[in-house]
Amino acid sequence: MADYDIVFVGSGFACSFFLRKRLQVGPSRARYLVLERGPVYPHEKQVADRRNSPIVAADTYRLETEPRDGFTKSWLFTIGFGGGSNCWWAGTPRMLPSDFEMRTRYGVGQDWPLSYDDLVPYYAEIEQYMQISGPTDSPFPNMTPYPLPPHRMTDPDYALKAAFSDQYFNQPTARASRPLDTRNQCCANGVCHICPVDAKFTIMNGMREVYADPRVTLKTEAQVLSVDVEGGVAKGVVYSEGGKEHRVTGDTVVVGANAIFNPYLLLRSGLDSGPVGQGLHEQGSVRALIYYDGMEGNNGSTSVTGHGYMLYDGEHRRTAGAALLEGWNVPRFRPDFDRWTQISELYIVVEDLPQEINRVVVDPEDETRPLIRYKSQSEYFYRGIERVKAELPKVLSSLPVERIEYLPLNPTEGHTQGTTAFGTDPATSVLDREMIHHDVRNLYVVGNSVFPTGSPANPTLTTCALVTRSAERM
């Protein structure tokens, strides 16, 4: 008999929401073990120390990359209980139906092995559970009302909404628009990676009942080293705790680290079939400062107030990445007397297509860490950026814009994706549509690493919907 029914590797969104659903629908006497490499780092300590974890993410891997035009790619994530829920900005849009059908519709990338419609009920479930603040209208088909009202937009947002009523919306977000039992109301301070008032949903403030369940055992500062596989069956995992190596058995193993460590653990476990490790990617972004003649720019009620789909979908995606416009309310000031706040920021997120050359491997110099071999973002992404710069003046033509100033590309979005893609063909994917390993049928791999393509949308809501669906169908 195994020690546990399920052994989870990681305590971020993917594993925590998988665990939540199993607690709802699984056997009442089941036993679950969650192994987390990092410590519990309470919210108040994060605020006091101004960091999400004592572990520096960049120290846990080695990066080989090629700077392009002075731009160097980096990767952002948090190691600690709750994973990325500690550092995320809590944007929660759904993906659009077209994002699941890039090959069929536009001849690029890969189709996902399931559709938008497959995720609709799970999107709705997570939106209710996270208590999302969102608009009464939406670009997403088959919407259910959001549980919390939207945040107040800025004057430029409202002007864009007037010009593009069916393409510009309040951002759906897990930053509370009113006080809740477990979270405070957002104070629009603009430092959401460490929310000082604890307004955004996190694993720590939003899933206490999950980790308080007597069926769940949580071990922190327990680093998983490999999955123990025998005869095509996952028997459990090997992990290090307190300087000692341990083995624990489980009927099922769920690996949910991130798109860097998921493939690394598979490779360390001898699971190298299919394109494991290939296709590391995430969206890229550029910030545009918009200077106005007489319009105030920073009078919303949260950090990101608007979502614009004017440059998102369409035939241009055959050759250039889609763009999602985010209207930011993080204060910006201009050095002009009595016009200090006649400025705002648009954060423009552009999709990238995965490339085989960008990958994660076991570091040949030190097998205890992954090596990221990353050449650059694709030409598809860069064409998307150029399209944005060409089209944005037209999009903003109804606003009193004096000038647009572009800032350099951001080095990371904190949305590592790809590397263990799910699909229907073992030659082009690592997992099936339930996120079960093609070769090891009691091994799930979950999180953003399963995405065969990205989209401009923040990935967290989709990841939570995916794992909720698979855990329900387990």
Side-chain angles (χ1 to χ4, degrees), residues 98-319:
S98 57
D99 293 329
F100 297 85
E101 302 172 350
M102 289 292 288
R103 172 61 61 177
T104 296
R105 295 196 187 203
Y106 304 122
V108 297
Q110 298 293 327
D111 288 347
W112 286 41
L114 42 69
S115 69
Y116 174 88
D117 288 340
D118 291 323
L119 290 187
V120 163
Y122 305 101
Y123 273 142
E125 178 179 340
I126 302 307
E127 288 160 348
Q128 296 299 314
Y129 182 76
M130 284 191 182
Q131 295 182 285
I132 301 301
S133 305
T136 56
D137 58 350
S138 163
F140 313 120
N142 301 314
M143 277 298 296
T144 51
Y146 288 108
L148 295 184
H151 283 277
R152 183 180 70 252
M153 293 197 293
T154 64
D155 287 353
D157 287 323
Y158 285 117
L160 285 170
K161 180 64 174 175
F164 301 96
S165 61
D166 60 347
Q167 294 180 295
Y168 202 85
F169 309 91
N170 303 78
Q171 186 197 52
T173 174
R175 301 183 299 273
S177 60
R178 61 174 175 80
L180 301 171
D181 291 340
T182 59
R183 287 143 57 199
N184 294 310
Q185 182 175 339
C186 176
C187 64
N189 58 70
V191 288
C192 302
H193 63 293
I194 306 177
C195 177
V197 299
D198 209 17
K200 68 181 181 181
F201 178 94
T202 67
I203 304 302
M204 278 193 280
N205 67 24
M207 304 191 81
R208 294 169 183 168
E209 83 287 354
V210 170
Y211 285 93
D213 192 294
R215 293 169 288 177
V216 178
T217 300
L218 170 67
K219 286 183 178 288
T220 58
E221 300 183 78
Q223 180 179 353
V224 173
L225 306 176
S226 63
V227 180
D228 190 3
V229 179
E230 297 179 14
V233 177
K235 299 294 187 178
V237 302
V238 179
Y239 69 97
S240 175
E241 182 183 27
K244 296 182 179 180
E245 193 170 290
H246 305 270
R247 282 177 167 77
V248 63
T249 60
D251 292 326
T252 301
V253 174
V254 177
V255 175
N258 62 26
I260 295 171
F261 284 93
N262 282 355
Y264 166 75
L265 287 174
L266 294 183
L267 292 169
R268 282 291 305 271
S269 308
L271 300 174
D272 58 1
S273 60
V276 60
Q278 298 177 19
L280 178 67
H281 69 286
E282 65 174 350
Q283 311 101 322
S285 66
V286 63
R287 292 171 292 166
L289 301 183
I290 317 298
Y291 293 78
Y292 301 105
D293 181 8
M295 177 175 278
E296 297 296 315
N298 300 302
N299 49 11
S301 67
T302 190
S303 57
V304 185
T305 46
H307 257 189
Y309 290 80
M310 298 82 88
L311 302 177
Y312 194 114
D313 210 10
E315 286 298 308
H316 68 271
R317 293 179 83 175
R318 292 186 179 276
T319 58

